[in-house]
């Protein structure tokens, strides 16, 4: 005789504890990424080359170049830079790194060799989408397109205000700018005329188009990172939590 097996009884599973996360700080971010880079001076601008090999950093002491293929090597200060600086940009193919402030300099990342292109005071700069021209903005609001090899000046555009940030759309057709009026402007590059202007960006330190050209991101003095639809100017998102001015994105 075998007694019947007891019927299984239903049990309520224990609730899964809600995970908690420590806030990300500069120290914990360095631990999470496994890399911490120390350079001299207070940071002003950062720039990545398109393929991600080179990282450029502008501080109030120097322009530094980091080769991510050799992370054990010390950051390299580039010759010729005179602080204070205001702008830093890689050409689309990563073959040139340009810095602007008290003049314009361009270096070849592979060799570190550089040359001065202009002695103009620069508040912002950006390479055109094809890398054939470098747009530099002066304190009076004029944007001058120069040859990044010879420094020869070409077309000029009057933005009517001192600019703090600008970027070209991936197809090269539009230029986004932001200046002292707290708005961002879209310009037709071929015709050198304004297409539209939108309020609410604040004093932007950086503008950047998304790879498809649909969105524009901005980093502002009020610490906000905002994402906009480029054509309509409607805001898509506001990223909060940054303490102090947002200098770059």
């Amino acid at each position: 005789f075998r007694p019947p097996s007891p019927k299984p009884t239903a049990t309520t599973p224990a609730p899964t504890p809600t995970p908690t996360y420590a806030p990300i700080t500069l120290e914990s971010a360095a631990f999470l990424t496994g890399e911490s880079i120390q350079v001299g001076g207070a940071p002003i601008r950062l720039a990545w080359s398109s393929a991600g090999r080179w990282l450029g950093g502008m501080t109030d002491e120097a322009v530094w170049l980091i080769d991510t293929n050799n992370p054990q090597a010390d950051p390299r200060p580039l010759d010729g830079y005179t602080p204070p600086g205001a702008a830093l940009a890689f050409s689309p193919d990563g073959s040139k790194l340009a810095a602007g402030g008290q003049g314009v300099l361009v270096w070849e990342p592979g060799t570190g060799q550089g040359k001065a292109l202009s002695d103009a005071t620069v508040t912002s700069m950006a390479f055109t989408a094809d890398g054939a021209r470098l747009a530099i903005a002066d304190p009076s609001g004029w944007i001058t397109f120069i040859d990044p090899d010879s420094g020869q000046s070409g077309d000029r555009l009057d933005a009517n205000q001192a600019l703090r940030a600008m970027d070209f759309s991936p197809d090269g057709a539009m230029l986004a700018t932001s200046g002292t009026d707290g708005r961002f402007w879209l310009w037709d590059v071929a015709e050198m005329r304004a297409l539209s202007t939108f309020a609410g960006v604040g004093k932007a330190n950086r503008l950047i188009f998304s790879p498809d050209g649909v969105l524009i991101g901005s980093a502002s003095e009020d610490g906000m990172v905002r994402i906009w639809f480029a054509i309509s100017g409607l805001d898509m998102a506001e990223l909060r939590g940054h303490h102090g001015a947002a200098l770059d994105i």
Side-chain angles (χ1 to χ4, degrees):
F1 174 78
R2 178 179 297 171
S5 301
K7 294 181 179 181
T9 57
T11 58
T12 301
T16 303
T18 301
T20 58
Y21 302 95
I24 296 176
T25 64
L26 288 175
E27 292 75 19
S28 62
F31 171 77
L32 291 169
T33 61
E35 298 292 341
S36 178
I37 301 170
Q38 183 70 40
V39 296
I44 298 173
R45 290 287 183 269
L46 291 174
W48 280 101
S49 63
S50 56
R53 172 171 180 184
W54 303 104
L55 173 62
M58 173 183 282
T59 72
D60 58 2
E61 293 183 5
V63 170
W64 303 85
L65 187 66
I66 296 97
D67 184 353
T68 62
N69 283 1
N70 187 12
Q72 303 306 316
D74 292 332
R76 180 175 23 148
L78 297 175
D79 292 334
Y81 169 71
T82 301
L88 192 68
F90 275 99
S91 60
D93 64 0
S95 65
K96 297 180 178 67
L97 174 62
Q102 304 304 310
V104 180
L105 294 101
V106 173
W107 297 274
E108 295 179 0
T111 64
Q113 294 181 347
K115 59 183 177 181
L117 293 184
S118 171
D119 58 3
T121 300
V122 173
T123 61
S124 184
M125 64 167 44
F127 279 93
T128 55
D130 60 4
R133 295 184 294 173
L134 177 63
I136 61 173
D138 66 29
S140 66
W142 280 97
I143 301 171
T144 304
F145 290 75
I146 66 173
D147 185 306
D149 293 313
S150 67
Q152 182 176 354
S153 298
D155 295 330
R156 300 187 77 204
L157 171 65
D158 186 2
N160 300 309
Q161 61 178 311
L163 296 181
R164 302 171 60 92
M166 60 181 174
D167 192 36
F168 286 93
S169 60
D171 63 3
M174 294 186 297
L175 173 65
T177 67
S178 179
T180 53
D181 66 355
R183 307 168 69 90
F184 79 77
W185 294 68
L186 286 180
W187 305 85
D188 183 306
V189 175
E191 298 186 9
M192 294 290 172
R193 65 179 180 88
L195 293 172
S196 53
T197 179
F198 307 103
V201 71
K203 293 182 178 180
N205 292 310
R206 183 77 163 93
L207 290 178
I208 185 169
F209 273 94
S210 62
D212 59 7
V214 174
L215 303 173
I216 296 176
S218 65
S220 302
E221 279 292 306
D222 60 7
M224 295 288 290
V225 173
R226 298 175 174 88
I227 302 174
W228 312 79
F229 287 100
I231 300 302
S232 67
L234 296 175
D235 58 320
M236 177 185 176
E238 291 186 348
L239 308 181
R240 302 174 181 272
H242 190 280
H243 297 290
L247 299 178
D248 218 325
I249 51 175

